[in-house]
Amino acid sequence: MSKHNVPHDWCRTCQKRGFYNERDASKALGQARTHRNRLADKAGSRRGLARENRIYRCPEGYFHLTGMSRRYVHA
């Protein structure tokens, strides 16, 4: 594991990386945003960029990143 990775485990329920606490998930969210922005800047456009924008807690107790807004989840 490199120094930039945030500790996580694989969540079998959600089939996603699961972070142990909200602080780790928040750190991973910032890293994901930075990574996506760098890729978009390199490509020359951010149009159509899929980005993670929030954290949620799953039934297993892990915290996950998602690009879906709360409006669509609670609709």
Side-chain angles (χ1 to χ4, degrees):
M1 178 161 40
S2 75
K3 66 179 181 176
H4 299 291
N5 287 343
V6 179
H8 65 276
D9 203 356
W10 188 253
C11 178
R12 293 181 184 186
T13 302
C14 299
Q15 298 296 308
K16 293 183 173 185
R17 290 184 305 158
F19 299 97
Y20 303 112
N21 56 52
E22 197 168 359
R23 182 181 179 275
D24 287 346
S26 181
K27 186 175 179 182
L29 180 61
Q31 290 176 356
R33 285 179 175 170
T34 299
H35 178 73
R36 297 268 184 167
N37 287 340
R38 284 184 182 154
L39 289 177
D41 290 345
K42 192 174 185 179
S45 173
R46 292 187 183 185
R47 175 175 271 173
L49 179 67
R51 316 176 45 158
E52 294 83 359
N53 60 18
R54 71 179 183 90
I55 300 165
Y56 70 96
R57 189 170 196 164
C58 79
E60 293 292 319
Y62 289 113
F63 291 89
H64 299 292
L65 309 181
T66 185
M68 292 180 67
S69 72
R70 284 193 174 109
R71 177 174 43 173
Y72 295 114
V73 174
H74 295 297

